[in-house]
Amino acid sequence: MQRVRALDVEVAFRAALAAVLPLAILVSLGRTDWSAYAAFGAMTAIFGRGEVYRMRARTVGVAGLGLVASVAAGTAIAAFAAPAAAEAIGALGLAVVLVGGTLLVQVFRLGPPTTLFFVFGLMVTAAVPTPADEYGIRVGLAATSAVFAWLLSMSGWVLRRAAAARGIRPFKDLARDLAVRPAALVDGRVWIQIAQLCAASAIVWVVADLLDLGHPYWALVSAVAAIPPPGAAHTISRAWHRVIGTVGGVVITFLLLWPDPPVQVLVLVIGLAQFGAEILVGRHYGAALLVITPLALVVSHLGNPGPVEPLLVDRLVDTVLGAAAGVLLVLAAMGLDRVRARRA
């Protein structure tokens, strides 16, 4: 029992359920083209892991609002922006999400402490062709999925009380309550991270545009993922883990999609991958990518079915490009740290 309690089974189960149930409903309605919106709303459930419920209500709610706002902005670009201006508006939206999302994460102490999911939500939905008359329903779907994920995140309060009444403790102990940190708005380390994120994203945006990559948002996500949070040591190991884990994950995805399974199987795969990701991500990032990569690719394939091989190749190329840009900025920060140390 002690070994089970040491795992994040509780958060893994609720994250998997938050992803699977909305997708199963869309499959039953024959609207798998809306899968991405439900999936991004469901990501609300990965926040607030292990927090006391008073803090969790706040952090998960703020994360859900951030995800829905990112989806709303990206969907608005896809639905209403003129083709000639869409790229410029997308770049402006990305800058706003990088700055605003990072401040949101730091002020409200969100965990995972990254703006990666907000960036992903913005860029993916901005790239999906969207009829203007479907804007409301697509954003509403993301919001509904986020509310469902919030309710799941809070449901453990009932389960814990019931278990405590019977004298059993099947769940992990919860972390202490942390206050909102407005001082993050003027923290120099936070703004250094924002500068790194913006610089890495600009590099990726330009190179991806020159190479005419098929899914450039994956490169942006990889670049954002390589930048450490404020105060953390600058290291390139996370970028290496991302590349190696992605390569393994692409192989697994090929084995999953090659037989062309029915959509019901794909939804089950998404649930299992989400469960595995939450179990592994706090233990080894590279191992977690072995299931995170199939999760992202299967959701993408479910929403926009097409040839598998180009999808997997794009994932590999974009990941390497994004990780390389992130490493450049990390190495630059490491050089500045050494200069400061010598001067000190």
Side-chain angles (χ1 to χ4, degrees):
M1 178 64 73
Q2 190 66 28
R3 291 184 178 181
V4 173
R5 289 182 64 220
L7 298 174
D8 288 314
V9 174
E10 182 188 1
V11 67
F13 179 77
R14 67 177 183 246
L17 185 59
V20 166
L21 189 57
L23 291 178
I25 293 173
L26 290 179
V27 168
S28 68
L29 296 175
R31 294 308 307 248
T32 55
D33 54 317
W34 291 346
S35 298
Y37 306 93
F40 282 117
M43 286 182 184
T44 300
I46 71 176
F47 290 86
R49 56 191 301 144
E51 295 177 356
V52 295
Y53 286 94
R54 181 172 56 184
M55 181 180 178
R56 187 183 301 183
R58 181 186 72 223
T59 57
V60 176
V62 169
L65 289 173
L67 285 166
V68 173
S70 299
V71 168
T75 308
I77 293 171
F80 305 117
E87 185 171 356
I89 296 173
L92 177 61
L94 175 61
V96 171
V97 169
L98 287 173
V99 177
T102 301
L103 294 176
L104 195 73
V105 166
Q106 294 302 318
V107 169
F108 288 96
R109 298 177 180 266
L110 303 189
T114 174
T115 190
L116 181 153
F117 302 100
F118 304 143
V119 171
F120 202 17
L122 172 79
M123 300 309 296
V124 169
T125 53
V128 177
T130 303
D133 61 351
E134 287 190 4
Y135 175 80
I137 193 168
R138 296 190 184 207
V139 175
L141 177 59
T144 302
S145 184
V147 170
F148 174 62
W150 185 90
L151 292 172
L152 277 177
S153 296
M154 300 303 295
S155 64
W157 180 78
V158 177
L159 297 177
R160 286 173 182 268
R161 286 178 63 88
R166 290 167 174 77
I168 57 176
R169 298 178 60 204
F171 305 112
K172 291 183 67 173
D173 294 334
L174 300 178
R176 62 190 180 91
D177 195 356
L178 297 175
V180 174
R181 193 168 73 96
L185 295 172
V186 293
D187 189 335
R189 296 172 302 176
V190 173
W191 286 98
I192 288 173
Q193 186 203 25
I194 289 173
Q196 288 178 296
L197 292 171
C198 291
S201 298
I203 293 171
V204 167
W205 190 288
V206 172
V207 175
D209 192 49
L210 291 174
L211 297 179
D212 194 24
L213 297 181
H215 297 81
Y217 46 81
W218 283 334
L220 285 166
V221 168
S222 295
V224 170
I227 306 297
H234 286 88
T235 173
I236 63 174
S237 61
R238 190 173 177 86
W240 282 115
H241 287 170
R242 187 164 188 87
V243 172
I244 295 171
T246 297
V247 171
V250 163
V251 173
I252 294 172
T253 307
F254 176 76
L255 295 176
L256 290 171
L257 295 182
W258 177 60
D260 193 22
V263 292
Q264 292 82 358
V265 173
L266 295 181
V267 171
L268 179 61
V269 167
I270 290 169
L272 293 173
Q274 184 70 72
F275 186 91
E278 296 307 313
I279 293 292
L280 294 171
V281 73
R283 295 173 172 265
H284 192 283
Y285 186 58
L289 262 297
L290 293 175
V291 289
I292 291 174
T293 300
L295 172 63
L297 291 173
V298 171
V299 169
S300 178
H301 182 73
L302 185 64
N304 185 25
V308 174
E309 290 80 2
L311 179 70
L312 303 185
V313 171
D314 283 349
R315 176 70 174 190
L316 285 175
V317 173
D318 291 333
T319 297
V320 172
L321 170 60
V327 166
L328 284 176
L329 272 297
V330 169
L331 291 175
M334 293 169 66
L336 289 175
D337 288 343
R338 285 194 292 268
V339 169
R340 292 195 192 97
R342 284 197 297 267
R343 289 177 177 175

